[in-house]
Amino acid sequence: MRRAEYAENLQRIASLQRSAADRSLVTSRMYSADRATVPEVPARIAYSSQDRRRLAARVQAGDLERIRPGVLMAPLDDGLRPHEVSELSTLRTVRAVVERSRSSFWVSHQTALLMHGCWTFRSGTAVHVTHLSNPNIDHENETDVVRHWTKLPDRDRCTLGGIPVTTLERSLVDSIRTLEPDSALVAADSAFRRGASTALVQRIVAESVGKRGVAQARETLRKADPRSGSPGESLVRSAMHRARDVNPSLQIPVKTRIGTYWVDVGWPDLKVGFEFDGAIKYSGGAYGDPESAQRERARRVRALEEAGWLIFEVKWSDVEDPARLDALVYDAFLLGLAHMRRSG
């Protein structure tokens, strides 16, 4: 990718960040990618030497879990969803590393992104930490920690909840260099949504020339969009890039006979749109009556289709199977081409 094109991509992201933050715009109220709360690293159970025998019995009975020697926590709730189990397991290991480490380090890469409140997808449960030099630790006996060592300027260091971590921008660049492409796009969308500085990201990428994954990082930045409504929507856009190498449009206004509706993501020239259904909006509670929400959605889709659009619903079961998602999106692309030719 040419340097000028790369700089233009970051300028595009900065402009999108401003539009997503402008509450005077109707579309700014449609983006739902923010977490309700920023994940917190849990505290360990404090105990004295007199408590050891009693606590050992509780560990034996399954009432407590031993994360590391001297680091005990309550077991994870059985009612947690798989991604919640993954994230909490990672954060519990962060606490164990903090309590047991004898060398200086900063939590980094996708682990730091999680602590900054970003969405992650299939980034594993291993905790990533960065040292300034080789810590000379027996890595074979440490399967849940990935240790990196490199230069880390003060600019790229901060603390969260008293724990040393790499900054949002440094964590983003390190992650999109090393994650799989789909996971990298989820991370980039979310980090820019949370306000990562495009100027600082550009500077860190420039300083990373020669490191593994810099070309992938630049390609991810070409596709990144802070307006993405959810991790699922980011994954749909990734599949759309594989089907057709152009940046999809988000929140596309479409005039229909019953008013203007916005398509989540699509190709306006083909009048092909995708709606990611994470099932949350139909779960009731704060989201209203689920049956009414479903009826309104069906009414909306009919109106969009009457306006000439092809609308495809994508579910979590689709995005969790990349081959299935790619097939769905590519079939939609071919139908859109045929539809455009018939209409034209």
Side-chain angles (χ1 to χ4, degrees):
M1 181 185 300
R2 293 180 294 108
R3 185 179 296 274
E5 182 183 358
Y6 166 57
E8 288 171 4
N9 285 328
L10 287 166
Q11 291 171 6
R12 171 187 60 83
I13 292 171
S15 176
L16 293 173
Q17 283 178 314
R18 290 190 292 271
S19 67
D22 186 350
R23 305 308 292 177
S24 68
L25 299 177
V26 173
T27 52
S28 72
R29 297 187 288 277
M30 299 177 185
Y31 309 126
S32 56
D34 292 331
R35 287 176 175 270
T37 58
V38 174
E40 294 184 0
V41 175
R44 71 181 180 95
I45 294 175
Y47 63 92
S48 64
S49 57
Q50 290 81 7
D51 298 323
R52 287 182 177 176
R53 182 172 297 179
R54 176 177 58 83
L55 293 177
R58 290 185 62 188
V59 170
Q60 186 71 24
D63 296 334
L64 289 176
E65 288 187 13
R66 180 176 177 270
I67 313 301
R68 283 281 199 289
V71 182
L72 303 178
M73 294 185 184
L76 294 175
D77 190 331
D78 290 338
L80 294 174
R81 297 173 181 174
H83 77 276
E84 294 172 326
V85 171
S86 176
E87 290 185 350
L88 274 175
S89 296
T90 301
L91 294 172
R92 284 151 62 98
T93 304
V94 169
R95 175 57 65 192
V97 172
V98 169
E99 297 291 340
R100 300 294 300 177
S101 181
R102 296 294 177 266
S103 59
S104 297
F105 68 89
W106 287 262
V107 177
S108 62
H109 294 69
Q110 56 262 39
T111 313
L113 283 184
L114 175 61
M115 292 178 62
H116 279 287
C118 297
W119 291 111
T120 58
F121 177 76
R122 288 185 176 169
S123 55
T125 59
V127 167
H128 289 253
V129 298
T130 293
H131 301 264
L132 300 182
S133 60
N134 190 335
N136 294 316
I137 292 173
D138 184 358
H139 304 289
E140 292 184 0
N141 294 325
E142 195 179 45
T143 58
D144 55 357
V145 180
V146 178
R147 297 186 183 272
H148 312 264
W149 48 92
T150 187
K151 294 179 181 179
L152 193 64
D154 289 342
R155 175 204 66 199
D156 296 343
R157 310 176 192 178
C158 67
T159 59
L160 293 172
I163 297 174
V165 300
T166 52
T167 60
L168 179 59
E169 292 81 7
R170 177 58 184 256
S171 306
L172 167 59
V173 174
D174 286 342
S175 296
I176 63 177
R177 284 197 302 105
T178 55
L179 286 170
E180 290 298 315
D182 280 359
S183 302
L185 185 60
V186 170
D189 285 352
S190 187
F192 284 122
R193 169 66 184 233
R194 294 198 67 82
S197 163
T198 55
L200 190 48
V201 166
Q202 183 175 4
R203 185 173 172 185
I204 295 170
V205 170
E207 294 169 354
S208 301
V209 170
K211 293 183 178 180
R212 177 170 66 93
V214 172
Q216 175 180 282
R218 287 175 174 155
E219 178 64 11
T220 300
L221 294 173
R222 181 175 75 87
K223 302 172 182 176
D225 194 317
R227 301 170 300 170
S228 187
S230 69
E233 193 173 290
S234 297
L235 295 169
V236 172
R237 286 186 15 257
S238 189
M240 292 175 74
H241 275 285
R242 287 190 288 273
R244 187 187 190 201
D245 192 24
V246 296
N247 271 353
S249 298
L250 285 80
Q251 298 300 343
I252 307 160
V254 178
K255 291 183 179 180
T256 76
R257 62 178 176 78
I258 55 175
T260 298
Y261 284 115
W262 281 261
V263 175
D264 286 351
V265 58
W267 292 305
D269 60 327
L270 302 181
K271 292 191 174 180
V272 169
F274 297 90
E275 304 275 292
F276 177 72
D277 175 16
I280 295 175
K281 65 184 78 171
Y282 309 123
S283 61
Y287 294 91
D289 175 58
E291 291 187 7
S292 296
Q294 289 279 22
R295 285 195 299 271
E296 175 55 29
R297 182 197 172 279
R299 177 172 176 264
R300 173 175 173 274
V301 169
R302 280 196 303 272
L304 289 168
E305 290 175 343
E306 289 172 3
W309 278 72
L310 299 175
I311 303 297
F312 299 86
E313 183 179 286
V314 183
K315 302 180 182 296
W316 265 118
S317 56
D318 298 315
V319 300
E320 288 176 343
D321 183 342
R324 179 175 170 179
L325 179 61
D326 281 351
L328 186 158
V329 171
Y330 191 67
D331 285 348
F333 170 57
L334 294 179
L335 287 171
L337 281 176
H339 180 66
M340 180 180 68
R341 287 166 183 161
R342 287 195 304 269
S343 302

